[in-house]
Amino acid sequence: MNKYKAIPDGYMTVGEVAKKMDITVRTLQHYDKEGLLSPSAMSEGGRRLYTDKDIVKLHQILSLKHLGFSLGDIKNRLIPLDTPAEIAAILAKQAASVKQKIDFLSESLRELEVLREEVLQMQSVDFKKYADIIVNLKMKNDYYWLIKHFDDQTLDHIRSHFDKDSGKAFISRFIQLQDEAIRLQNASVPADSDEGQNFAKAYWNMITDFTGGDMSMLPKLIELGQFQNTDLIWKGKQDIANRYVEQVLGVYFSRLGIDPFQEETK
């Protein structure tokens, strides 16, 4: 009968703690075995006894576990809970970890929703494009949606010529030059002026960097402003930019005595 003696005031049995915290007795026994949460006392009958402080420590353990930490990591992260400052410190750390997890999950949700929309807009199942979109979403590339408009030849070319960093740098350079074309167009800068031709040279260098000498890729950048069903703001900006680009490149090629577009079709 000693086994069933009354539990001292201020103590709880393993079963009571498990019920309060919605876990199993087996889990508490495992935490004891791993040295994460040992009972504060043992009854005369050998029963594990816990206190309210143990409840707080258990909450700390469970919170870290839900955030994905291993039991080994949790063991190293546990701190004493003997002063208000120590308790406040661990709660602040847990709150920061929860916020980080929320941010991660929110970003994952955004990526899933974006990918779903992109998938629905495609005319066929294309896992290569799906993968490219996912990678670009991870890169925080705001122009991930362009991928669905490229054909396989262009995407294979991009995959073989650009890595994560160079691809991001290229799209940034492209957008910068497109914005500059709009500025020059709006300012009515003549195509044959020094400023217009300096821009033409920079733009052409950007194109040749993209093609890597493969002239069959030449029309692809021109198509960027002509895709169907693209964002109207994007399309409007590219229409303005392309008008100026065509003018300055026309003068630029004339002065060089070449016509790369004609050469590409040979």
Side-chain angles (χ1 to χ4, degrees), residues 232-245:
L232 292 178
I233 296 176
W234 163 271
K235 195 171 190 312
K237 288 179 65 174
Q238 301 319 305
D239 286 344
I240 296 171
N242 285 345
R243 283 199 297 273
Y244 191 76
V245 167

Side-chain angles (χ1 to χ4, degrees), residues 136 139-143 146 162 164-180 203 206 224 234:
N136 278 269
M139 290 166 52
K140 311 296 185 187
N141 179 5
D142 292 336
Y143 300 97
L146 289 172
F162 297 94
K164 177 180 177 180
D165 293 331
S166 61
K168 198 169 184 178
F170 176 82
I171 194 68
S172 176
R173 182 181 173 195
F174 175 80
I175 298 303
Q176 183 180 8
L177 286 172
Q178 293 295 82
D179 288 343
E180 177 65 3
Y203 196 89
M206 181 267 295
L224 283 177
W234 163 271

Side-chain angles (χ1 to χ4, degrees), residues 181-251:
I182 293 171
R183 185 190 71 80
L184 294 172
Q185 173 76 3
N186 291 338
S188 300
V189 174
D192 58 356
S193 66
D194 288 344
E195 189 176 9
Q197 287 305 290
N198 286 336
F199 169 79
K201 182 178 181 180
Y203 196 89
W204 183 242
N205 286 340
M206 181 267 295
I207 289 179
T208 54
D209 285 347
F210 175 79
T211 63
D214 183 356
M215 289 298 102
S216 68
M217 291 290 105
L218 203 51
K220 304 304 180 182
L221 284 182
I222 303 300
E223 293 176 4
L224 283 177
Q226 301 171 349
F227 291 139
Q228 298 298 313
N229 302 319
T230 55
D231 180 87
L232 292 178
I233 296 176
W234 163 271
K235 195 171 190 312
K237 288 179 65 174
Q238 301 319 305
D239 286 344
I240 296 171
N242 285 345
R243 283 199 297 273
Y244 191 76
V245 167
E246 289 173 7
Q247 294 175 44
V248 295
L249 286 183
V251 175

Side-chain angles (χ1 to χ4, degrees), residues 2-8 41-49:
N2 288 340
K3 182 178 179 182
Y4 302 102
K5 283 184 178 179
I7 303 303
M42 299 291 288
S43 71
E44 292 181 6
R47 302 175 74 184
R48 292 177 171 86
L49 300 179

Side-chain angles (χ1 to χ4, degrees), residues 71-86:
L71 294 185
D73 290 334
I74 293 173
K75 192 172 183 179
N76 294 328
R77 285 173 172 268
L78 294 176
I79 65 172
L81 300 174
D82 297 326
T83 68
E86 289 173 340

